[in-house]
Amino acid sequence: MPNIPKYPKGPTSIRAHVLAVLLSSEDMTGFESIFAYRKASLATVIRALIRKYNWPIEREDFPTNTADGRAAWATVYSLPQDDIDAAFRRGAQDWLDGVKAARKARK
């Protein structure tokens, strides 16, 4: 029997927000501000989603340039489309709607 991913409890948690972005295939631009005043990094949240919640999140590192001209590495996280499709067949839309509603109510 396959290991079915779990969803983070608490629709306003940072783990729920990150997973909602990955499931929605939304752009993470502007989302990083959530981490501005928290001790957890995006990498820490991704690690929890992989280890604790069993999500098959993929990571791709690529070289980029910084504003001051130095070279650096950037990382993009994503879920394979097959896993997104499987999640929606198992009811991800209801969970995602709850996260979005909680986020909207919080604003």
Side-chain angles (χ1 to χ4, degrees):
M1 184 166 142
N3 197 3
I4 297 174
K6 299 174 276 192
Y7 295 96
K9 294 185 180 179
T12 59
S13 74
I14 196 159
R15 291 175 183 170
H17 284 293
V18 170
L19 182 57
V21 169
L22 292 172
L23 283 171
S24 299
S25 299
E26 293 177 14
D27 189 353
M28 293 289 282
T29 304
F31 191 74
E32 290 84 358
S33 63
I34 288 175
F35 295 95
Y37 302 104
R38 300 188 185 239
K39 294 185 187 247
S41 67
L42 178 58
T44 300
V45 173
I46 293 293
R47 197 167 27 257
L49 289 171
I50 292 169
R51 292 180 181 168
K52 183 175 181 179
Y53 297 96
N54 303 316
W55 284 96
I57 298 170
E58 296 177 342
R59 171 189 177 143
E60 182 178 339
D61 297 322
F62 60 94
T64 187
N65 293 320
T66 62
D68 63 3
R70 291 179 292 139
W73 287 93
T75 302
V76 173
Y77 298 101
S78 63
L79 283 169
Q81 189 60 49
D82 289 344
D83 291 299
I84 292 172
D85 294 342
F88 277 96
R89 284 191 301 273
R90 291 188 312 267
Q93 188 61 56
D94 291 338
W95 180 84
L96 192 57
D97 291 344
V99 170
K100 288 180 179 182
R103 190 184 322 167
K104 186 176 180 181
R106 209 168 169 198
K107 286 183 181 181

